Amino acid sequence: FYYDTFGNFRLGLRKSWEKGSKAFFIQPNVGITVNNYFDFSSVASTSTFVASKESKIVGNLGLEAGVKFYKGRRNYITLGIRHQSGLSALNTAEVSWGIPQQNQILVERSGTYTGLFVGYGIDFKGRTSEEKEVAKLEKIDKKTFRRVMAW
């Protein structure tokens, strides 16, 4: 029996290149990986285990790249790839197989992975002053057009 939980915490700066309703971005980041696990170091009898909860924290470096597809009000859907490299080893995992479980290997890991992601972003900035001015002029044009069409 083996129990692990992992948490990744990162900070990064995102650079975006916008083109119409899409934007390409790249984001380097730095952070930590927290590995919480139970270490079953000894067996007191056939019915009880002696275990202690352990934690291991290691640094990590990462890089994300992807595309943002803008929707209404500058909210966006994100598609991308993420790679993270752990900077040192986490705890080792004992993997066993066979009946009875006679074959065992120790697996070392560092929190390194590569994955794809999908996300949804909300733009809290709102419209720029130029976009607000354009929207105001469009509203005035529509109002004038309706007035002319009414006569």
Side-chain angles (χ1 to χ4, degrees), residues 56-90:
K56 180 88 179 205
I57 299 173
V58 299
N60 64 55
L61 297 174
L63 183 66
E64 296 179 7
V67 179
K68 297 190 285 189
F69 299 96
Y70 289 106
K71 302 297 172 195
R73 295 190 160 217
R74 303 285 292 168
N75 296 339
Y76 53 90
I77 294 174
T78 306
L79 300 173
I81 187 166
R82 172 183 298 139
H83 178 76
Q84 173 180 301
S85 290
L87 299 177
S88 60
L90 294 167

Side-chain angles (χ1 to χ4, degrees), residues 84-138:
Q84 173 180 301
S85 290
L87 299 177
S88 60
L90 294 167
N91 67 310
T92 57
E94 191 175 282
V95 178
S96 55
W97 67 93
I99 300 176
Q101 293 185 350
Q102 57 196 8
N103 302 316
Q104 293 182 346
I105 59 171
L106 287 177
V107 177
E108 278 199 24
R109 54 219 169 154
S110 62
T112 298
Y113 71 93
T114 300
L116 301 175
F117 64 89
V118 176
Y120 185 78
I122 300 172
D123 182 18
F124 291 107
K125 237 182 355 181
R127 293 189 282 190
T128 63
S129 57
E130 293 91 15
E131 291 171 327
K132 288 178 186 177
E133 190 63 33
V134 168
K136 185 177 178 181
L137 292 173
E138 286 176 356

